[in-house]
Amino acid sequence: MHYLEKHLPLKTDVRRLLTEAKSVISLAMNYYTLDPPEALAQDPGRGQISRYAWGDDYHELIRERLLELVTFIKQTAESELRTRVCVDTAPIIEREYAQRAGIGWIGKNTNLIHWRSGSWYFLAEILVDIALESGTPDLRGSCGTCTRCIEACPTDAIIEPNVLDSRLCISYLTIELKESIPKALRPKIGNLIFGCDICQEVCPWNSKAVPTTEPAFQPRDGNLAPKLLSLVGMTQQEFSRRFKRSPIKRAKRRGFLRNVLVAIGNWGTQRAVPALKDALADDESLVRSHAAWALGRIGGETAKRILQTRLTVETEQDVITEIQDALLETEQLSGREEKNA
């Protein structure tokens, strides 16, 4: 998370992004599509992907729309303006600008909420070198005394209203974090394999959400609660082909499979053991280490033998430690089962 501190000076003044900037045009684009069938949403053998990543990558699409708007503004102004478009890629405090523009208010879950349609929005900005008049619209709605998002967060990332510890957020852990997921947090992730929508799903204001008509945001085949065992064996070529022009590519294969393996460990089915055996021999140490953890969670004699065999040839210390911890976990699990027998 060091980049947040590194970019802080840029966030304090948009003129650091565009020297001539005099105004910020704040925009929002709805990406809500549908609610997954209950049977899919509650199946621990399927992975849950954040809604924003069900369809195509939004960066390119919204950037194209912004450039069209820039062209219109220049034609209307009849001058060659200096502009810069920002689509979640520039260090800019986009929620604050969106709130000042009247798009919504920043809720206790730190998302921007619109009183009529909730929080399923992408935010974007255009910086321009002309001073635009702006009113100060009255914001409707508020979170009031509601604390559903705080109570529902599996990792307690919302440490108080409007304050989020990003290091605990499942979206950060499954997308931005490039290393191992902390062991204490893995069980809390459940079957969330890319991002997390829980704090938005429980928000009462999202009960008013209206589905978008944008085709690019509709769920791709296989992105709506995919079966975990269909993902864990993906090669790099298969990953690149399946998630071409998808937000999921941001996690890269190693990070995505890491997430899938955590979900499989939380699922805890013996059916996954053969696939975990293959993952334990993956070229990526990050994949191997989380495969070891999943085997430890599932336990059983077969998982124990697989871990012991891999331990004799493993060379990466991080993976060796994970295997040793997983073997200890299988012993403890076996002991508990014998005690309960």
Side-chain angles (χ1 to χ4, degrees), residues 19 36 66 83 97 131 139 152 156 236 265 270 300 310 333 335:
T19 305
L66 292 179
T83 64
Y97 281 117
L139 290 176
D156 296 319
Q236 180 60 60
Q270 289 288 335
R310 183 65 201 184
L333 182 60

Side-chain angles (χ1 to χ4, degrees), residues 41-167:
Q42 299 300 322
D43 186 349
R46 292 178 177 271
Q48 300 301 324
I49 295 171
S50 181
R51 278 172 171 78
Y52 89 89
W54 285 354
D56 296 341
D57 194 335
Y58 62 93
H59 293 90
E60 185 174 335
L61 172 68
I62 296 180
R63 181 178 176 81
E64 290 176 356
R65 303 288 174 83
L66 292 179
L67 292 176
E68 290 177 10
L69 181 54
V70 166
T71 299
F72 170 79
I73 293 171
K74 289 181 177 180
Q75 291 173 345
T76 303
E78 297 182 344
S79 64
E80 189 60 34
L81 305 177
R82 293 276 295 173
T83 64
R84 176 169 176 173
V85 298
C86 305
V87 191
D88 195 27
T89 53
I92 184 171
I93 47 176
E94 57 184 10
R95 287 171 300 181
E96 286 73 9
Y97 281 117
Q99 181 171 255
R100 290 178 62 183
I103 295 177
W105 77 91
I106 300 173
K108 292 179 182 178
N109 60 7
T110 73
N111 287 298
L112 191 84
I113 303 173
H114 186 274
W115 70 274
R116 185 179 294 162
S117 49
S119 61
W120 305 108
Y121 285 95
F122 295 123
L123 299 179
E125 300 77 35
I126 301 175
L127 311 184
V128 295
D129 66 347
I130 52 175
L132 299 174
E133 294 184 11
S134 65
T136 306
D138 294 329
L139 290 176
R140 296 187 60 175
S142 73
C143 294
T145 60
C146 179
T147 55
R148 291 186 189 182
C149 58
I150 298 174
E151 295 160 5
C153 180
T155 57
D156 296 319
I158 308 173
I159 56 179
E160 62 181 79
N162 304 100
V163 180
L164 177 77
D165 186 338
S166 300
R167 298 166 299 180

Side-chain angles (χ1 to χ4, degrees), residues 191-212:
N191 63 342
L192 301 173
I193 60 174
F194 189 87
C196 178
D197 290 333
I198 291 174
C199 66
Q200 297 191 83
E201 289 171 340
V202 301
C203 178
W205 292 102
N206 277 328
S207 65
K208 300 181 178 183
V210 177
T212 180

Side-chain angles (χ1 to χ4, degrees), residues 186 261-281 287-311 319 322-323 325-331 333:
R186 294 176 194 175
L261 289 163
V262 169
I264 289 175
N266 290 329
W267 181 20
T269 178
Q270 289 288 335
R271 289 168 43 204
V273 170
L276 293 176
K277 178 182 178 180
D278 293 338
L280 195 59
V287 173
R288 298 198 302 275
S289 63
H290 287 73
W293 179 83
L295 284 166
R297 289 274 291 183
I298 293 171
E301 287 302 313
T302 301
K304 183 178 178 180
R305 286 196 299 271
I306 292 170
L307 289 164
Q308 289 172 331
T309 300
R310 183 65 201 184
L311 187 58
V319 183
E322 287 275 5
I323 293 175
D325 290 348
L327 284 168
L328 180 60
E329 178 72 15
T330 62
E331 293 288 351
L333 182 60

Side-chain angles (χ1 to χ4, degrees), residues 10-28:
L10 294 175
K11 293 184 177 182
T12 60
D13 188 347
V14 293
R15 286 171 294 187
R16 293 175 180 265
L17 302 175
L18 179 68
T19 305
E20 300 86 355
K22 294 181 180 178
S23 299
V24 178
I25 302 173
S26 186
L27 305 106

Side-chain angles (χ1 to χ4, degrees), residues 55-57 220 239-247 249:
D56 296 341
D57 194 335
R220 289 185 177 186
F239 176 83
S240 298
R241 181 170 60 249
R242 178 167 182 162
F243 298 119
K244 182 179 181 180
R245 299 184 69 181
S246 162
K249 285 193 69 176

